[in-house]
Amino acid sequence: MAMGLAAPTWAQSQQQPDQVDRLAQMVGLSDEQQSEIRGILEELQGEIQSLQMEARSLQQQLQDEIKPDYDEASIREQASKLGELSGEISALSTLMQARVDSVFTQDQRDELDRRMRAMQQQMQGQPPQPGAPAQ
């Protein structure tokens, strides 16, 4: 859960190494933990990005099928492939989040959960709960 909010940003921006640095500052990651997390992200982000590009291509192909002489079989085939790709992207993203989460200690998970809740409340305009870190 803790990585759920941060992971989409990571999955979209491998070029921003400061994401791991910020996480390290938030929860006190060791150098070893940071290296392990960077390895996980590098391993899976490339595959996720490749699948996302393939999905965008299929979406464009589907859009190109919107015409008077459409081919229903082609539309259904492309939509089915797109569904499979979306499922694989979701699976890899979740696996990446789970693997990153497994690097944390329980105290680090608890701290990250507290900070994420505080950020959500702040975005929703709610005052922070007692014991939540100030942003």
Side-chain angles (χ1 to χ4, degrees):
M1 175 191 130
M3 294 306 300
L5 296 174
T9 302
W10 287 354
Q12 294 169 1
S13 59
Q14 182 177 1
Q15 295 78 22
Q16 293 185 358
D18 63 322
Q19 292 290 335
V20 176
D21 292 337
R22 277 190 259 161
L23 186 59
Q25 291 173 354
M26 286 174 67
V27 299
L29 295 175
S30 68
D31 289 343
E32 184 178 312
Q33 286 175 307
Q34 290 178 59
S35 292
E36 190 171 348
I37 289 170
R38 287 181 201 283
I40 292 166
L41 297 178
E42 288 174 13
E43 176 187 341
L44 293 174
Q45 284 179 333
E47 189 172 353
I48 291 169
Q49 288 174 343
S50 175
L51 291 172
Q52 288 172 331
M53 286 177 23
E54 191 175 342
R56 281 191 291 276
S57 175
L58 275 172
Q59 287 171 330
Q60 183 58 53
Q61 290 174 25
L62 278 169
Q63 287 298 310
D64 293 345
E65 290 290 340
I66 300 173
K67 55 190 176 187
D69 59 340
Y70 66 92
D71 179 349
E72 183 175 350
S74 176
I75 291 170
R76 290 187 181 281
E77 181 181 335
Q78 290 172 24
S80 179
K81 287 179 185 177
L82 183 58
E84 289 175 20
L85 276 175
S86 294
E88 184 62 16
I89 291 167
S90 293
L92 288 174
S93 295
T94 302
L95 286 168
M96 181 175 65
Q97 292 174 43
R99 287 180 59 192
V100 168
D101 189 68
S102 72
V103 174
F104 298 137
T105 64
Q106 187 59 51
D107 287 342
Q108 290 168 330
R109 277 186 210 98
D110 293 344
E111 177 63 18
L112 188 56
D113 286 344
R114 279 192 293 276
R115 288 179 178 261
M116 290 296 179
R117 278 194 305 274
M119 286 172 35
Q120 282 179 325
Q121 289 172 348
Q122 187 177 29
M123 286 190 286
Q124 295 170 353
Q126 300 172 358
Q129 294 181 356
Q135 297 293 320

